[in-house]
Amino acid sequence: MKYVLVTGGVVSGLGKGVTASSIGLILQACGLRVTSIKIDPYLNTDAGTMSPFEHGEVFVLDDGGEVDLDLGNYERFLDIKLTRDNNITTGKIYQSVIDKERRGDYLGKTVQVVPHITDAIQEWIERVAAIPVDGKDGPADVCVIELGGTIGDIESMPFIEALGQFSYRVGAGNFCLVHVSLVPVLNVVGEQKTKPTQHSVRGLRSLGLTPNILACRSTKKLAEDVKDKISRFCHVPVENVITLYDVSNIWHVPLLLRDQKAHEAILRVLNLKGVVKEPVFGEWIRRAELCDKLHDPVRVAMVGKYTGLSDSYLSVLKALLHASVACHRKLCVDWVPAGDLEDITAEENPDNYERAWKLLKGADAVLVPGGFGDRGVEGKILAAKYARRNRIPYLGICLGMQIAVIEFARSVLGLKDANSTEFDPNTPNPCVIFMPEGSKTHMGGTMRLGSRRTYFQDLDCISAKLYGNKKSIDERHRHRYEVNPEMVEQLEDAGLRFTGKDESGSRMEIIELPTHPYFVGAQFHPEFKSRPGKPSALFLGLIAAACGQLDVLLKKEVPKVHSINSSNGKTLIKHKFTNGPILANASFEVYCNGNGIHV
Ligand code: GLN
């Protein structure tokens, strides 16, 4: 096993996660099997109890692990499936060491940071790096480890010490340290300043780690003399100084690394040069370029507890992007703070109220993402009502599905005070209720979490068709409440369809309104399994419906003849769908010549 450690210096938020994922991707493109580990030096055991407004969204894995959003970046870039143990936190390490101490495993010794915590970190890394994550047998070739935080943080000290020992233990040729740093540009003179990088590398060295490669974030490419200076002061060969300058979309970052031969530098350090092939990116490049060229917008109103941090809904945004690119549309997300849609805002802050409704009414599609707590719930219900009544494509995820059920119960069944017991424990019409397997007293890891199976009730529904007419699908969950099984019949009689249920048939997984062009809700979170080039089915359905491409996607529309041209005894017939191409091969050509018809 070879290890690539990615650390960060100067400031946080440099895009270390994207850099580490891009390094993984370029190594994968060279033919290597890659896994990854993210280290978060905070004390929480996992991200489960953290608000998405702290470090961004809580990403959910197949095994139910509630982890840092960077694991989502790894899964999307590398198309792998990680486990909860691929996210190490200080809390997890200390818990494992304290558990051992209580069992008496340390045989009466004093338990200390060095060597017990540092050993536990190294053992954890070695154990987890060997877990296959790409569906193949046996361990990967390379493990990319990202150390969260910034060099010099007090809480990351035990990890730095452990990684220093680890690099020595696995030996030169098996360990490559990539340090991501910042080269700021001072506006007055436009000069690229190297001092912060010099300081940061000095800090790294003083802690016993030596960088092999420097990845410098800057607005523009580093000037040659700036690179020379960094090389000289930081004792890193000039060809190992890479610039990560601003690019139009993050899919360009692996290409930036390739153009600067970062893979060659890493492979040299890992003694793999000559063993592997030149990187082949295939579709990745086409997609990165296509994304820049899209100009026809699709406007999606995201109705949530928006506080200015788009990271709080990162996977939802990525899933929307994957779907929009597949439909050849430029994604425009309008953030609608749910609370601003409520009547009370009309009185207290009419400008916000007007703005929120204007955004909602200007959207081609409405999305209500997952959420907890009652803030903004009534606004979300109003958004679902608006989408249902005005036949605007709607996707409700987890809470968004529960909201849609509440709205339907109120408006269509006339149960005025229908609600979820999460928001109104005494509601006389509880259409969403607490689930037996949840806990109200313990918050971390006590929900219905991770991959669960959904069975389609019959294949004649939009969601089953979008999922390729499979009988069942596996998607990731994270919830405590569910649709009240006792109210299902009543809701169904009024026209709401529960097209997907769990294996017992009593837990509702997908809702649809057959009389609406696209009104879908899912109890699971499809966004966690969306990948570039493999958009999640329900997101693709939403965007296709918003662009008038749903019939094509569901193969209801037959392409029409667009033009017929004849020359040199050949006839060229071009076909086109009403709303333009949806996939690369959606329009095709038919040639007629003496030998017959060729498609
Ligand atoms: N709060 C709701 C529940 O616990 C929805 C959760 C979510 O959207 N992830 O069921």
Side-chain angles (χ1 to χ4, degrees):
M1 175 71 67
K2 309 267 178 183
Y3 297 90
V4 177
L5 172 64
V6 181
T7 57
V10 187
V11 288
S12 60
L14 285 178
K16 213 169 352 114
V18 172
T19 309
S21 307
S22 302
I23 289 173
L25 184 76
I26 197 167
L27 295 178
Q28 219 179 38
C30 291
L32 294 163
R33 287 177 57 208
V34 181
T35 181
S36 75
I37 293 175
K38 169 80 197 288
I39 299 175
D40 284 304
Y42 46 66
L43 281 171
N44 306 55
T45 326
D46 58 32
T49 56
M50 271 192 274
S51 153
F53 304 112
E54 286 283 308
H55 297 270
E57 76 173 3
V58 178
F59 192 78
V60 180
L61 300 169
D62 265 0
D63 66 3
E66 299 173 278
V67 295
D68 184 83
L69 55 74
D70 278 318
L71 276 86
N73 276 331
Y74 290 120
E75 285 207 342
R76 284 187 287 269
F77 266 58
L78 306 177
D79 199 6
I80 53 176
K81 281 187 183 159
L82 297 169
T83 72
R84 67 175 76 230
D85 285 353
N86 289 69
N87 194 186
I88 306 179
T89 68
T90 298
K92 269 186 195 165
I93 295 288
Y94 272 74
Q95 198 164 52
S96 74
V97 170
I98 292 168
D99 285 349
K100 266 173 111 176
E101 184 269 335
R102 293 287 86 183
R103 283 199 305 265
D105 289 2
Y106 294 112
L107 305 173
K109 288 261 181 260
T110 309
V111 182
Q112 293 177 297
V113 173
V114 184
H116 301 105
I117 294 292
T118 46
D119 279 354
I121 293 169
Q122 294 177 66
E123 282 157 21
W124 193 297
I125 291 174
E126 270 191 320
R127 175 175 61 81
V128 172
I131 301 172
V133 292
D134 54 3
K136 297 190 185 127
D137 289 337
D141 304 308
V142 182
C143 177
V144 177
I145 307 168
E146 178 193 349
L147 177 62
T150 309
I151 291 300
D153 293 346
I154 291 177
E155 52 184 11
S156 60
M157 291 301 178
F159 290 104
I160 302 270
E161 176 58 31
L163 288 162
Q165 291 180 18
F166 190 69
S167 69
Y168 174 70
R169 203 169 93 197
V170 297
N174 293 318
F175 192 90
C176 174
L177 173 49
V178 181
H179 186 59
V180 185
S181 174
L182 176 72
V183 176
V185 178
L186 289 193
N187 273 345
V188 201
V189 271
E191 200 185 336
Q192 296 174 316
K193 304 304 263 181
T194 64
K195 197 68 90 194
T197 301
Q198 294 179 40
H199 278 301
S200 158
V201 169
R202 203 169 299 153
L204 197 60
R205 284 184 192 284
S206 71
L207 296 169
L209 286 173
T210 307
N212 300 105
I213 290 160
L214 292 175
C216 303
R217 285 281 287 118
S218 201
T219 44
K220 301 242 165 59
K221 237 181 179 162
L222 290 193
E224 282 310 314
D225 60 325
V226 175
K227 267 188 170 183
D228 282 343
K229 194 167 171 187
I230 290 177
S231 162
R232 197 165 340 117
F233 281 102
C234 300
H235 315 167
V236 168
V238 72
E239 60 275 18
N240 290 12
V241 180
I242 313 289
T243 331
L244 297 176
Y245 52 89
D246 293 352
V247 280
S248 48
N249 71 66
I250 60 166
W251 294 336
H252 283 291
V253 178
L255 309 176
L256 214 63
L257 292 175
R258 177 203 56 183
D259 295 346
Q260 296 176 60
K261 302 202 184 323
H263 57 292
E264 289 186 8
I266 296 171
L267 294 171
R268 253 194 317 271
V269 176
L270 294 178
N271 270 343
L272 286 172
K273 193 107 202 324
V275 180
V276 295
K277 59 181 175 68
E278 278 296 300
V280 180
F281 284 101
E283 277 293 286
W284 190 276
I285 301 178
R286 193 192 64 82
R287 215 175 304 119
E289 286 168 359
L290 173 67
C291 191
D292 292 338
K293 285 191 205 126
L294 299 174
H295 42 77
D296 249 1
V298 54
R299 303 204 81 87
V300 181
M302 276 267 277
V303 185
K305 273 199 246 177
Y306 180 57
T307 59
L309 274 177
S310 56
D311 268 7
S312 316
Y313 299 105
L314 189 70
S315 293
V316 175
L317 290 178
K318 295 295 173 199
L320 283 172
L321 179 72
H322 302 158
S324 308
V325 172
C327 292
H328 288 210
R329 293 297 163 115
K330 183 181 167 60
L331 175 66
C332 300
V333 176
D334 289 322
W335 299 92
V336 182
D340 287 0
L341 295 169
E342 296 169 13
D343 290 349
I344 181 132
T345 309
E347 289 161 31
E348 289 173 358
N349 199 333
D351 287 353
N352 284 7
Y353 178 81
E354 220 165 274
R355 190 179 159 272
W357 275 102
K358 197 169 165 207
L359 287 177
L360 187 67
K361 288 184 177 167
D364 303 313
V366 175
L367 192 148
V368 178
F372 296 83
D374 58 2
R375 188 158 63 84
V377 160
E378 291 303 320
K380 291 176 192 172
I381 292 175
L382 289 169
K385 183 175 189 165
Y386 168 80
R388 183 178 59 77
R389 284 203 173 155
N390 294 283
R391 302 175 66 74
I392 310 294
Y394 175 88
L395 178 61
I397 297 172
C398 203
L399 179 65
M401 160 177 152
Q402 298 171 0
I403 290 290
V405 173
I406 298 170
E407 193 282 313
F408 190 85
R410 286 187 190 177
S411 303
V412 182
L413 290 179
L415 306 173
K416 289 282 168 268
D417 38 19
N419 214 331
S420 162
T421 55
E422 181 180 6
F423 315 125
D424 180 3
N426 304 316
T427 170
N429 293 303
C431 49
V432 178
I433 55 167
F434 185 70
M435 238 176 354
E437 64 188 271
S439 165
K440 284 183 182 170
T441 51
H442 283 72
M443 291 303 163
T446 55
M447 284 185 261
R448 181 169 178 247
L449 281 168
S451 185
R452 305 291 170 106
R453 192 152 288 179
T454 294
Y455 294 84
F456 290 109
Q457 301 306 294
D458 78 70
L459 295 183
D460 187 23
C461 62
I462 288 184
S463 50
K465 287 193 184 113
L466 287 170
Y467 274 104
N469 295 316
K470 290 190 192 125
K471 286 204 177 77
S472 66
I473 47 156
D474 295 324
E475 291 280 12
R476 298 177 182 175
H477 293 69
R478 185 172 187 248
H479 64 126
R480 271 196 190 85
Y481 293 79
E482 62 174 334
V483 174
N484 184 354
E486 285 175 15
M487 287 182 73
V488 165
E489 207 181 313
Q490 203 181 348
L491 290 160
E492 262 180 336
D493 287 346
L496 191 64
R497 273 185 82 190
F498 294 93
T499 52
K501 298 184 183 176
D502 78 338
E503 63 284 348
S504 73
S506 57
R507 192 156 277 162
M508 303 305 120
E509 293 283 5
I510 307 177
I511 60 160
E512 282 183 41
L513 259 187
T515 51
H516 189 287
Y518 191 85
F519 194 93
V520 177
Q523 188 57 80
F524 48 79
H525 291 263
E527 68 271 25
F528 293 135
K529 283 171 75 172
S530 188
R531 303 277 191 264
K534 287 190 218 163
S536 164
L538 299 186
F539 281 86
L540 187 58
L542 178 78
I543 299 296
C547 313
Q549 298 179 6
L550 190 61
D551 282 351
V552 176
L553 189 66
L554 300 178
K555 302 202 174 63
K556 279 196 203 155
E557 189 193 321
V558 178
K560 299 190 179 60
V561 173
H562 176 63
S563 60
I564 304 177
N565 286 309
S566 294
S567 68
N568 298 334
K570 273 189 180 179
T571 303
L572 176 65
I573 307 173
K574 281 193 176 176
H575 284 73
K576 195 179 179 310
F577 292 106
T578 318
N579 285 291
I582 183 159
L583 297 167
N585 59 356
S587 62
F588 54 89
E589 294 170 356
V590 181
Y591 295 92
C592 297
N593 60 19
N595 299 322
I597 296 173
H598 306 274
V599 180

